[in-house]
């Protein structure tokens, strides 16, 4: 007797790609609803292999809190079973707080991602517009937290 033929798995948007969120969970929670609504409305370019032309798609994602258990093991690289993007969220606007806590937290997060050979990450810094306006009144403004994060973490990756 022959084994039953395996049917292909058809994925619907019920099986959304996983995106982890690290950093300030309260900040992410406050932005989640609008992010979840707006993301599928923005078309994204899907660059396909073998000379096939790019295709514009609309994508939904399943946002979950970052945990080491979610990172892919060597034998498990399926797109829908492990996170394909990791986002660190912060709204820190104070240099001293950044140096004392946020920077070390980002370093720990990135080191954990590197341990699992994960290179798809993004750091999101949410800046209030009032803080931006207030900073422009300085004659010689110090570098912003965004500049510090860029210098500390993104200077070697031109795509960040």
């Amino acid at each position: 007797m022959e084994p039953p033929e395996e049917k292909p798995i058809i994925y619907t948007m019920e099986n959304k790609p996983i995106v982890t969120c690290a950093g300030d969970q309260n900040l992410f929670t406050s932005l989640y609803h609008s992010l979840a609504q707006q993301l599928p409305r923005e078309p994204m370019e899907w660059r396909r292999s073998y000379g096939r032309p790019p295709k514009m798609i609309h994508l939904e994602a399943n946002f979950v809190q970052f945990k080491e258990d979610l990172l892919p093991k060597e034998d498990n690289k399926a797109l829908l079973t492990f996170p394909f993007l990791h986002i660190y969220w912060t709204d820190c606007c104070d240099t001293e707080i950044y140096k004392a806590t946020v920077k070390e937290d980002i370093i720990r997060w990135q080191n954990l991602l590197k341990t699992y050979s994960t290179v798809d990450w993004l750091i999101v810094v949410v800046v209030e517009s009032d803080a931006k306006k207030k900073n422009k009144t300085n004659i010689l403004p110090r570098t912003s937290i965004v500049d510090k994060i860029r210098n500390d973490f993104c200077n070697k990756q031109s795509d960040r």
Side-chain angles (χ1 to χ4, degrees), residues 8 46 54 57 64 75 77 93-94 99 101-102 104 114 130 134 136:
W46 175 23
I57 63 169
V64 298
D75 59 341
K77 297 287 185 181
C93 59
D94 183 86
K99 288 178 186 176
T101 59
V102 175
E104 291 302 317
K114 286 176 190 172
D130 291 343
K134 190 168 108 178
K136 287 186 179 180

Side-chain angles (χ1 to χ4, degrees), residues 21-87:
C21 299
D24 189 338
Q25 293 299 314
N26 291 331
L27 173 64
F28 173 73
T29 302
S30 71
L31 299 171
Y32 171 76
H33 184 69
S34 62
L35 181 64
Q37 279 187 330
Q38 297 300 321
L39 183 63
R41 293 181 185 170
E42 291 294 322
M44 295 178 204
E45 185 178 67
W46 175 23
R47 295 183 185 179
R48 304 183 293 173
S49 59
Y50 306 113
R52 295 168 59 190
K55 184 176 185 178
M56 297 306 287
I57 63 169
H58 294 270
L59 184 66
E60 294 180 49
N62 183 16
F63 293 95
V64 298
Q65 186 171 356
F66 178 81
K67 293 178 188 160
E68 184 177 358
D69 297 344
L70 296 172
L71 295 172
K73 311 300 183 268
E74 283 302 314
D75 59 341
N76 182 10
K77 297 287 185 181
L79 179 62
L80 294 174
T81 59
F82 77 93
F84 80 102
L85 179 63
H86 304 274
I87 303 175

Side-chain angles (χ1 to χ4, degrees), residues 83-119:
F84 80 102
L85 179 63
H86 304 274
I87 303 175
Y88 187 94
W89 294 85
T90 185
D91 62 353
C92 177
C93 59
D94 183 86
T95 306
E96 296 306 315
I97 293 172
Y98 169 72
K99 288 178 186 176
T101 59
V102 175
K103 182 177 179 179
E104 291 302 317
D105 195 35
I106 294 173
I107 289 171
R108 278 192 301 276
W109 173 70
Q110 282 200 327
N111 286 337
L112 193 55
L113 293 175
K114 286 176 190 172
T115 302
Y116 289 87
S117 302
T118 302
V119 296

